[in-house]
């Protein structure tokens, strides 16, 4: 997930003033679907990714789907 966050943000403007203006006028959200292969899988985001998203006012949403039985 960190790689995908990095690839996404690398394509966008990194001026935090612009991001602040955007987040004041719009809801900024990164939505992720997570499809588990086993019942006890997990996923994490590094502090670097969380900080980059947070500085830009981007909320992260997850949908987590358990394995099919």
């Amino acid at each position: 997930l960190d790689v995908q966050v990095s690839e996404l943000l690398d394509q966008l403007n990194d001026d935090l003033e612009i991001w602040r203006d955007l987040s004041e006028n719009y809801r900024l959200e990164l939505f992720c679907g997570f499809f588990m292969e086993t019942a006890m899988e997990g996923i994490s985001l590094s502090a670097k990714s969380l900080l980059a998203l947070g500085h830009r006012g981007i909320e992260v949403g997850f949908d987590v789907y358990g394995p099919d039985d």
Side-chain angles (χ1 to χ4, degrees):
L1 189 54
D2 286 317
V3 171
Q4 287 84 2
V5 168
S6 179
E7 287 179 2
L8 179 65
L9 294 181
D10 286 348
Q11 297 178 50
L12 303 173
N13 192 308
D14 61 354
D15 183 338
L16 296 181
E17 187 64 33
I18 292 172
W19 284 100
R20 188 173 7 264
D21 290 343
L22 286 170
S23 67
E24 288 175 358
N25 294 296
Y26 303 96
R27 179 178 178 201
L28 307 179
E29 181 180 20
L30 173 63
F31 180 78
C32 304
F34 181 54
F35 297 85
M36 300 187 323
E37 292 183 10
T38 64
M40 295 302 291
E41 277 187 274
I43 192 163
S44 63
L45 279 168
S46 70
K48 180 180 177 183
S49 291
L50 292 170
L51 188 61
L53 293 165
H55 279 311
R56 289 161 178 79
I58 300 173
E59 177 182 324
V60 180
F62 293 97
D63 266 0
V64 180
Y65 302 92
D68 292 331
D69 290 329

